[in-house]
């Protein structure tokens, strides 16, 4: 197995302290948002044999296993991250596989440069993802029932929100959510900025259920995404709890540290809370206007102490081991590729001693015995 040297991405929304605290390093004062573990060309992990992209490209079937290559192609199908949010991320959705293929092909056909700020599809893959909390973790996930969203907006007493309240009351669920999101994202920018300012002041004054939106407005003054965010469920995960984000589900992470795993894709369509491009027509084509509860996941007990976060996607499978002092050695050998990440304590994986924030890549079929005292996350594909 290969010890991984991973890149930390300094996105502006990143926490300045969460990753240094986990890693046992001194904060630099700069945001440290995400640590990437995998073979994504944007920031591939480095090994003693070269980057993980180079390692996989040199011998896909040996590194990934023939079954994984047959199903997902000659690349690592997932990307694992440590995500440390100190401010809200953009409100966003991801396409399904068919939409991604069609969107990518269309932009390629039209000659939209890969680096263009208005480019929606960076690749032809979908991007289901799972976030598992290591600390208390706040996020937004999926639409509230229109009636509940109307009550939340109406409770602010802001006159310019009344048309949205009326829309939420006046139509069937899917049509109501579609019409109100369309109205928010296409409103006159100056009028919307005034509405957001009044909304932020009311959220500050009322607190309670409105407190998360006051904080969002503080970070994104005048952004229509502040109003759009109030259409979504607010959820607070406790350590060990997780959220699965499927295609078309609007979401945003607000605050906290977590382990994130996703299909190996960069496809994001933004709804707001961002200075970046928002393609409203394409966004409305991708969003699933379905209300429902966020569906918090808790790990299910598997064999040999493994705790599995079950999801409907095959590109990744996330599980964890909480290893007690004096516990037995666990054999984690699989015919699929794995990344093992320590998040607490000290865990021995083969010849490698893992401390919080350190990880190894285990090729298909490679012997993988672990022992020690701590918490170990295992990322692989569904066999």
């Amino acid at each position: 197995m290969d010890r991984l040297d991973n890149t930390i991405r300094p996105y502006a929304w990143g926490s300045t302290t969460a990753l240094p605290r986990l890693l046992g390093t001194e904060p630099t004062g700069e945001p440290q948002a995400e640590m990437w573990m995998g073979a994504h060309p944007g920031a591939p992990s480095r090994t003693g044999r070269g980057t993980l992209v180079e390692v996989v490209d040199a011998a896909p079937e040996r590194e990934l296993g023939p079954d994984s290559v047959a199903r997902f192609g000659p690349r690592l199908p997932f990307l694992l991250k440590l995500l440390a949010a100190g401010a809200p991320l953009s409100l966003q959705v991801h396409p399904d596989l068919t939409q991604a293929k069609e969107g990518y092909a269309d932009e390629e056909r039209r000659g939209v440069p890969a680096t263009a700020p208005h480019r929606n599809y960076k690749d032809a893959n979908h991007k289901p993802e799972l976030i598992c909390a290591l600390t208390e973790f706040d996020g937004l996930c999926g639409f509230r029932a229109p009636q509940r969203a109307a009550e939340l907006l109406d409770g602010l007493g802001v006159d310019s929100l009344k048309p949205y309240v009326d829309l939420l009351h006046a139509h069937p669920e899917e049509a109501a959510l579609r019409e109100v999101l369309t109205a928010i994202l296409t409103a006159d920018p100056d009028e919307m900025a005034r509405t957001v300012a009044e909304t932020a002041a009311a959220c500050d004054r009322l607190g309670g259920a409105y407190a998360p939106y006051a904080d969002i407005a503080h970070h994104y003054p005048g952004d229509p995404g502040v109003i759009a965010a109030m259409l979504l469920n607010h959820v607070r995960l406790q350590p060990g709890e997780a959220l699965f984000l499927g295609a078309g589900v609007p979401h945003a992470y607000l605050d906290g540290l977590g382990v994130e795993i996703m299909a190996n894709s960069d496809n994001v369509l933004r709804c707001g809370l961002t200075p970046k491009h928002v393609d409203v027509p394409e966004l409305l084509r991708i969003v699933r206007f379905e209300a429902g509860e966020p569906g918090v996941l808790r790990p299910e007990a598997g064999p040999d102490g493994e705790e599995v976060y079950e999801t409907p996607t095959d590109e990744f499978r996330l599980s964890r081991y909480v290893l007690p002092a004096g516990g037995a050695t666990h054999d984690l050998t699989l015919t699929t590729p794995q990344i093992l990440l320590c998040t607490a304590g000290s865990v021995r994986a083969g010849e490698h001693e893992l401390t919080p924030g350190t990880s190894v890549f285990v090729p298909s079929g490679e012997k993988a015995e672990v022992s020690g005292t701590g918490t170990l996350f295992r990322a692989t594909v569904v066999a």
Side-chain angles (χ1 to χ4, degrees):
M1 63 181 73
D2 299 277
R3 191 180 188 91
L4 298 179
D5 178 16
N6 303 306
T7 297
I8 295 177
R9 310 303 292 261
Y11 304 136
W13 50 261
S15 168
T16 59
T17 58
L19 276 178
R21 187 181 300 121
L22 180 75
L23 298 169
T25 59
E26 286 296 318
T28 64
E30 299 299 316
Q32 297 184 34
E34 295 181 345
M35 177 186 285
W36 287 23
M37 291 158 278
H40 192 286
S45 299
R46 298 168 293 279
T47 78
R49 299 187 284 156
T51 70
L52 200 51
V53 169
E54 293 167 340
V55 168
V56 171
D57 284 350
E61 291 206 356
R62 184 183 69 202
E63 301 296 333
L64 306 177
D67 289 344
S68 181
V69 172
R71 295 171 68 195
F72 307 114
R75 65 174 192 162
L76 189 66
F78 60 84
L79 176 64
L80 185 67
K81 298 180 181 181
L82 282 167
L83 184 146
L89 282 67
S90 62
L91 192 60
Q92 59 189 257
V93 296
H94 307 302
D96 63 26
L97 190 55
T98 299
Q99 291 164 340
K101 288 178 177 178
E102 292 173 350
Y104 181 76
D106 175 64
E107 290 187 327
E108 287 289 282
R109 187 167 52 251
R110 291 189 286 115
V112 181
T115 57
H118 62 284
R119 175 103 187 198
N120 292 316
Y121 297 95
K122 304 296 193 296
D123 52 68
N125 200 15
H126 63 165
K127 192 173 178 272
E129 62 188 44
L130 177 79
I131 183 78
C132 177
L134 295 178
T135 65
E136 278 198 345
F137 194 98
D138 277 21
L140 305 172
C141 177
F143 286 108
R144 302 173 186 267
Q147 181 67 36
R148 289 179 53 217
E151 291 169 359
L152 191 71
L153 291 174
D154 200 33
L156 289 165
V158 174
D159 287 344
S160 52
L161 293 177
K162 298 295 185 185
Y164 306 136
V165 173
D166 291 342
L167 282 173
L168 289 166
H169 282 305
H171 297 285
E173 180 176 282
E174 181 177 338
L177 293 170
R178 178 181 291 275
E179 288 201 29
V180 75
L181 183 62
T182 302
I184 290 168
L185 296 180
T186 57
D188 177 81
D190 292 333
E191 291 181 7
M192 176 54 68
R194 288 191 290 272
T195 296
V196 172
E198 291 181 44
T199 298
C203 288
D204 267 329
R205 184 179 68 254
L206 293 169
Y210 294 102
Y213 307 101
D215 184 64
I216 291 170
H218 170 74
H219 288 285
Y220 298 98
D223 193 304
V226 174
I227 310 301
M230 299 185 75
L231 304 177
L232 306 186
N233 297 294
H234 174 252
V235 60
R236 173 165 293 168
L237 300 177
Q238 298 303 310
E241 295 181 335
L243 283 175
F244 174 73
L245 291 312
V249 177
H251 61 279
Y253 302 144
L254 304 180
D255 183 72
L257 176 66
V259 174
E260 186 182 35
I261 189 168
M262 62 192 64
N264 204 348
S265 170
D266 260 350
N267 286 326
V268 175
L269 287 103
R270 293 174 176 85
C271 314
L273 309 183
T274 179
K276 296 181 180 180
H277 177 64
V278 176
D279 184 336
V280 175
E282 185 65 8
L283 172 72
L284 295 173
R285 190 178 76 86
I286 299 302
V287 171
R288 293 184 178 176
F289 291 96
E290 301 170 359
E293 294 300 317
V296 174
L297 295 176
R298 295 172 181 84
E300 299 182 12
D304 196 29
E306 185 179 29
E307 300 175 333
V308 182
Y309 293 91
E310 297 287 356
T311 74
T313 191
D314 288 342
E315 281 93 339
F316 62 76
R317 177 183 183 272
L318 186 71
S319 61
R320 70 174 184 177
Y321 291 82
V322 180
L323 305 174
T329 296
H330 298 262
D331 185 353
L332 272 56
T333 307
L334 291 174
T335 59
T336 51
Q338 305 180 68
I339 291 178
L340 306 179
L341 165 68
C342 177
T343 59
S346 178
V347 178
R348 188 159 190 84
E351 63 183 21
H352 302 281
E353 199 69 33
L354 301 183
T355 54
T358 58
S359 55
V360 292
F361 171 71
V362 186
S364 165
E366 187 82 11
K367 189 72 171 175
E369 291 187 340
V370 301
S371 60
T373 305
T375 302
L376 187 76
F377 280 84
R378 172 202 250 180
T380 185
V381 300
V382 174

